[in-house]
Amino acid sequence: MQDDTTTTTSTTAPTDPPRATAPGYGEGSGRRWYQDLDRSQWRSLFAANLGWLFDGFETYALILTAGIVLRRLDPGAPQSQVAFLTGVTIAITLLGWGMGGILGGIFADYFGRRRALLTSMVLYATFTGLSALSWSWASFLVLRFITGFALGSEWGTGTSLVAEMWPAKARAKAAGLMQCGLGLGFFIASAVWFFVAPFGPDAWRIMFAIGVLPALFALWLRRKVPESANWTSASERRKNLKARKAAELTESERSFTRLTLRQIMADPKLRRLTILGSLMSLTTTLAWWGISTWVPLYVSGLAAGQGHSASSWASGAGMIYNAGAIAGYIAFGFLADRFGRKPTVLLYFAASLVMTPVLFLWTHSIGLVVIVLIINGFFTLGQYTWMPVWLPEFYPTHLRATGAAFVFNAARFIAFLGPLLSGWIISQLGGYGTAATVVGCIYILGIVVAPFCPETRGRPLPE
């Protein structure tokens, strides 16, 4: 079922529209947002959510175990450099994620959303499982890079599939429900680690072995989830236009025959939106990887200093933080549909800027840290929902996965410096507060850039 609003024929980016008036949008329709949805739309959302859940589990398993893996596979590493080398491990994964994500988006635009999603799940399940067999830190880094490469292509594909399957009045809500899969995966990883960690110094291998499960889910995905009708139509048009002579094509038609990555940079409006989106993506990605990945270590150190179990509080902090994040993901979608994309993004960026020093500099009570973790997770991780909400509305169908995946993933080529910078500051100054506050200043960039993007609430997707 596709959006019943009238679609546009333009292949360029949207500009700021009048107040949204799409049929069925707002309070005047008399029907709740979910009452007109069919089974195929729910299945597309479930597939994207579950794929992102597995990504979240795998990613947070790395965050929870990276330091332990390093000590186990490279016991000769100096204790003073553990934080820095842990940052290197996370950075390598991010680099692979960025490269794989961009290529995966291009693959999804040419070969289909469902096929790209299926391929991604099988590949990252395979290499996550192989990570459990690592025999040295070097082998672990290589497998982490390949796993990150496979992980990266899932998000842009799932985001495009959901955006194209769901109607305008509920698209942001669907994006929030899809994105919360990451928080669910983080939460489950924390819970699993709570029970697995006592198994001994090689318990980390169990965590990565569990990552094989997505391969089983891929069988259901292949049979039950439909391909996007928007993509099928755009693919057929691309095929027909490529069969014609280049001299006969209009500029709009040539956008279907050029390499997708080239086209989002060649079109002036799309290039502008890609740059703006990439700056906001850098804000969200660098800040989270450079700050929030240290939450378990920070809280465990705080707990140990007050006589509590460090390992239990490391797992507990992850669960508490991600409980707030799950609420933040979902709430973002509902707020964006109610108040618009811009004000919701600005709220999350501003709150994250404030909550970072609140957690890392001013919260010293192990009891109070529970409340602060929930609020911090709501905003700092919940803000990721702006990307599946807003980015698909920037690009036409034949460029959507490429554009969204590029913006989401290209930031990782710079964001990988976040863990390295934080790790270096921590190793030099011996504390998390200064590192978190310095890196957290990146939120100011997002606050400055967001107002320049178009408000797309309630508009049909550009075709």
Side-chain angles (χ1 to χ4, degrees):
M1 176 177 174
Q2 302 301 314
D3 187 356
D4 58 3
T5 54
T6 303
T7 57
T8 65
T9 57
S10 171
T11 61
T12 58
T15 55
D16 270 322
R19 187 176 179 85
T21 56
Y25 190 87
E27 293 81 0
S29 63
R31 292 177 65 82
R32 295 186 182 277
W33 64 272
Y34 53 80
Q35 289 181 310
D36 295 322
L37 300 172
D38 62 25
R39 186 174 296 180
S40 65
Q41 290 167 320
W42 286 111
R43 283 177 176 171
S44 69
L45 174 59
F46 180 71
N49 174 277
L50 201 54
W52 203 221
L53 183 152
F54 288 130
D55 283 12
F57 177 92
E58 205 283 337
T59 301
Y60 214 67
L62 174 64
I63 293 170
L64 289 169
T65 63
I68 297 170
V69 173
L70 175 61
R71 294 187 185 96
R72 186 64 173 169
L73 297 180
D74 189 9
Q79 184 62 34
S80 62
Q81 292 299 308
V82 167
F84 175 73
L85 294 175
T86 299
V88 170
T89 305
I90 295 172
I92 289 293
T93 303
L94 276 177
L95 283 175
W97 194 331
M99 294 174 63
I102 294 172
L103 292 177
I106 296 172
F107 183 94
D109 275 337
Y110 283 105
F111 299 102
R113 314 316 193 198
R114 187 177 65 173
R115 183 180 298 178
L117 197 59
L118 179 66
T119 303
S120 171
M121 287 184 179
V122 171
L123 286 176
Y124 80 68
T126 300
F127 286 99
T128 295
L130 290 174
S131 296
L133 304 177
S134 301
W135 60 92
S136 66
W137 187 50
S139 67
F140 186 72
L141 287 181
V142 171
L143 289 168
R144 293 312 311 161
F145 177 83
I146 300 174
T147 301
F149 190 92
L151 278 171
S153 61
E154 193 280 329
W155 183 88
T157 302
T159 292
S160 298
L161 179 66
V162 170
E164 291 165 5
M165 295 288 288
W166 280 61
K169 64 181 180 181
R171 192 184 302 130
K173 299 179 183 70
L177 291 169
M178 184 209 86
Q179 192 69 26
C180 83
L182 184 70
L184 289 170
F186 284 5
F187 184 90
I188 292 171
S190 297
V192 170
W193 183 241
F194 181 83
F195 294 102
V196 168
F199 280 82
D202 282 327
W204 62 271
R205 296 186 188 274
I206 300 174
M207 290 292 287
F208 290 109
I210 293 172
V212 175
L213 293 176
L216 300 177
F217 168 69
L219 299 174
W220 174 86
L221 173 65
R222 183 179 180 185
R223 293 188 299 109
K224 296 294 187 180
V225 177
E227 182 56 85
S228 160
N230 295 55
W231 176 82
T232 301
S233 176
S235 179
E236 186 64 27
R237 187 178 182 191
R238 176 183 279 121
K239 186 185 302 181
N240 293 335
L241 290 172
K242 283 189 173 182
R244 291 166 53 185
K245 294 181 179 179
E248 299 174 354
L249 302 179
T250 65
E251 181 59 29
S252 176
E253 290 172 333
R254 288 194 186 97
S255 74
F256 281 80
T257 62
R258 294 192 186 105
L259 178 66
T260 55
L261 188 59
R262 177 189 173 193
Q263 181 59 25
I264 66 171
M265 295 300 182
D267 184 295
K269 291 182 179 179
L270 292 181
R271 181 171 62 246
R272 177 178 179 272
L273 284 180
T274 298
I275 292 172
L276 292 173
S278 295
L279 291 173
M280 290 196 297
S281 179
L282 177 64
T283 297
T284 297
T285 307
L286 189 149
W288 190 80
W289 284 98
I291 301 171
S292 299
T293 50
W294 303 102
V295 165
L297 289 174
Y298 169 69
V299 175
S300 65
L302 193 67
Q306 298 180 25
H308 302 282
S309 169
S311 61
S312 296
W313 269 96
S315 299
M319 288 187 282
I320 295 165
Y321 176 78
N322 285 293
I326 292 167
Y329 288 134
I330 298 172
F332 189 106
F334 282 79
L335 291 171
D337 267 346
R338 179 66 179 86
F339 300 105
R341 283 43 170 159
K342 286 184 189 181
T344 306
V345 168
L346 289 170
L347 169 65
Y348 273 65
F349 280 156
S352 297
L353 178 64
V354 172
M355 291 307 302
T356 295
V358 168
L359 173 62
F360 287 95
L361 282 179
W362 304 326
T363 304
H364 306 295
S365 165
I366 199 65
L368 183 60
V369 81
V370 172
I371 298 173
V372 177
L373 278 174
I374 293 174
I375 301 173
N376 191 282
F378 185 98
F379 291 109
T380 60
L381 192 50
Q383 70 179 255
Y384 264 100
T385 296
W386 80 260
M387 290 190 244
V389 168
W390 220 354
L391 292 178
E393 299 171 344
F394 285 4
Y395 301 96
T397 299
H398 64 291
L399 304 171
R400 183 165 295 123
T402 299
F406 178 85
V407 171
F408 182 75
N409 290 289
R412 282 164 173 73
F413 295 122
I414 301 176
F416 84 94
L417 296 172
L420 296 179
L421 175 62
S422 296
W424 180 81
I425 295 175
I426 293 167
S427 64
Q428 294 298 310
L429 301 181
Y432 296 93
T434 301
T437 303
V438 170
V439 178
C441 291
I442 191 69
Y443 287 121
I444 297 172
L445 175 64
I447 294 171
V448 171
V449 171
F452 292 94
C453 295
E455 179 56 68
T456 54
R457 181 173 73 105
R459 296 194 76 194
L461 292 172
E463 294 295 335

